[in-house]
Structure formats: C-alpha cells, structure tokens
C-alpha cells in the first residue's frame, strides 16, 4: 500500500483513548525505524512540529536533536515557550539559535513584500543548514507533514521551512503525523501533555511578524507590533474570543500620524486589528467584536505600547482584502 494514502479503515482520532492508541503505535514504529540512530527536527513551535517533537522524545529521547531558529519575527513569548517546554520540561536535546540580528540586518531597508519573504525563507534554510552541518551522525530528518499537506501538494510540507539541506546530507524522512488531519494532531498533542496554547494556536505565517511590520522593518516598530499583538491576544483570551476566532493579529504600517500624550504632541504608528473567520483561508469574514472589547484593547495598546498612538479595526472581508496585509 502507498504509505502516503490514509487507509479507508483508519478511524478519526477524536478522543484521548484513540490518541493514546495512536501514540503507542507510533512510538513502537519510530523505535523500529530509528533504532539507535539520530534524528534531526526543525522545531518552530507550531502545532505540527511540536507534536512530532513530543512523539519522538517519547520514542527515542535524546536521539532526537531539535533545532529552533529564532528569526526575531516570532510573537512575544514563543521562542521562550519552545525553550521552556522542550528544553526544560521535556528535557529534549534542543539547539536554540537566536539569529535575530542576521535576519533584521538582511531585512534592513527592504520594502517589497515578496523580497522580504524570500530573504526570510532563504536565511532560515541557511541557518538551519549551518546547524545541521555542525551535528554529527544524523541519519533521519523528521518533519511535521500532515495529511492536508500530502493532499494539497506533492507530499512536501506546504510552506515548509526545511527545503535546502546541504546536498551531501542524505537523510531518511520521519513523518509520524503524515496521515493525520489538523484536528487529530491537536488531540494527539493534548494526549502528549503539550500546553493548550501550543496545541490550539492559530495559524502563523512562516515569515512571522515580518509580513505584519509593513514596509521596511525597523526594530522599534517591530517591537511595538510584538507588544501590541501580545495585548490583543491577552484581551481575546479574557473575552473568550481566543478559541472562537480563526486568526487575529496586529499589523503596523510604516506611517505616522499626530496625536497627544501627556499634554504633548505625540507622533506614532497606528496598530491595525485583523480578526477573521474562515474554513480554508481562501475566503474570510470579519469577527464582530464587541465595542467594549475594542475599547479596552485600544486603551491598553495606546497607553502601554511605545510608538503607537491609534488603533484601527480592519472591517474588510476576503475577498477583497487578503488576510495578511502583505
Ligand atoms: P492571505 O494573506 O493570503 O493568507 O489571505 C491566507 C493564510 O495564509 C497565511 N499565510 C502564510 N502562511 N507562510 C505561511 O506559512 C506564508 O508566507 C504565509 N502568508 C500568508 C495567512 O496567515 C493566512 O492564514
């Protein structure tokens, strides 16, 4: 049978019992496949790679080497959580690379969105390759490929970040969740004891905050964006919207307007709230957030975030607006 085809008889994993049965089966298979060899995984902290990491840690422990590249465009607290959960709590073999300066230096002055994406994607591969080259005796490369990736593409993880390993490196692939749908990956992640906010996190583009810090990225505006985004997420959590709205974030354009703070003229950037619902990201509708929630978010962002003096709410559905601004 084709190993990339989900068998018709395979039951949808919806309960803890089914997830545990899947985990037991996978742990045995992974041990048989990997033996005493080493496995490499690019761990972004997203749902799929996190679940694959947790499965492999359970199966082969320190034979797994996780590499987390912080490109400086993560949301507030994300890289820290990867280090906390995988490095400390699960005691994984974790290589943490803070490549923030490399990415931001390369992006300095770059305005064009496609060029920004390309720079981020290429540099990610370069940093990961450099780390992979330093490691010895790696036989396998693990990937968080899930079933929709196989259905929608040629079996290569869509938007995957690990595409350009050095040509002389020949790895066999390990893809333990490749027959699972996203909801099943989440049930398995729950069963593996991963934090709720990691397992149920909203989609986040590979280039991260890089496509939300509009135009040429500067460190001060990126910092303001990250802080404002963290406030939005906190307030959505408090208002019970976090599990309900499909994707929500802040974008900060490279434009300033005049304002007043503490009786003085205060020029700042606007923070634009985007909060959308969709099935497949091809079309999207706007979440109708209560004004009281919007007022609270506005109040907090304008008072707590240096450099922001206005908050706007983007009411544009997709089409005509895309979900991201870039
Ligand atoms: P748009 O902006 O095209 O976005 O309406 C649709 C969905 O795709 C996400 N997105 C990306 N995901 N790499 C990714 O992994 C990317 O470069 C990228 N660009 C957009 C976006 O967040 C939304 O969920």
């Amino acid at each position: 049978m084709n190993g990339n085809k989900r068998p018709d008889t395979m039951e949808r994993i919806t309960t803890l019992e089914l997830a545990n049965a899947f985990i037991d089966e996978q742990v045995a298979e992974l041990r048989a496949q990997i033996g005493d060899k080493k496995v490499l995984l690019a761990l972004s902290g997203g749902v799929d790679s996190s679940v694959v990491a947790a499965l492999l840690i359970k199966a082969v422990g320190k034979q797994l080497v996780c590499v987390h590249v912080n490109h400086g465009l993560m949301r507030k607290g994300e890289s820290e959580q990867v280090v906390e959960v995988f490095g400390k709590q699960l005691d994984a073999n974790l290589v943490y690379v803070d490549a923030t300066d490399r990415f931001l230096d390369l992006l300095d002055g770059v305005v064009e969105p496609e060029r920004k994406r390309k720079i981020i994607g290429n540099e990610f591969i370069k940093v990961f390759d450099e780390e992979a080259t330093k490691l010895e005796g790696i036989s396998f490369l693990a990937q968080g490929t899930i079933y929709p990736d196989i259905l929608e593409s040629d079996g290569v993880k869509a938007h995957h970040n690990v595409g350009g390993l050095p040509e002389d490196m020949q790895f066999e692939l390990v893809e333990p969740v490749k027959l699972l749908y996203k909801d099943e990956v989440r049930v398995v992640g729950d069963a593996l004891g991963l934090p709720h906010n990691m397992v149920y996190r909203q989609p986040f583009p590979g280039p991260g905050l890089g496509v939300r810090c509009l135009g040429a990225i500067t460190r001060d505006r990126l910092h303001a964006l990250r802080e404002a985004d963290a406030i939005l997420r906190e307030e959505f959590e408090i208002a019970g919207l976090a599990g309900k709205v499909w994707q929500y974030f802040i974008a900060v354009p490279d434009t300033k307007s005049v304002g007043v703070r503490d009786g003085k003229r205060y020029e700042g950037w606007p923070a634009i709230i985007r909060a959308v619902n969709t099935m497949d990201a091809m079309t999207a509708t706007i979440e109708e957030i209560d004004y009281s929630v919007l007022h609270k978010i506005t109040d907090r962002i304008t008072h707590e975030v240096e450099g922001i003096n206005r908050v706007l709410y983007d009411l544009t559905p997709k089409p005509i607006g895309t979900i991201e601004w870039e």
Side-chain angles (χ1 to χ4, degrees), residues 117 159 203-207 212 246-247 281 318 322-326:
R117 275 172 203 271
H159 294 305
F204 187 56
R212 298 176 182 170
W246 195 79
Q247 197 173 22
K318 176 180 179 176
T322 47
I323 294 176
E324 301 289 345
W325 270 57
E326 281 192 343

Side-chain angles (χ1 to χ4, degrees), residues 76-98:
K76 189 172 180 176
E78 280 184 323
S79 284
E80 291 82 353
Q81 188 181 35
V82 169
V83 172
E84 172 62 32
V85 171
F86 292 98
K88 299 200 179 131
Q89 292 172 18
L90 296 177
D91 193 25
N93 209 340
L94 172 70
V95 179
Y96 170 71
V97 190
D98 183 355

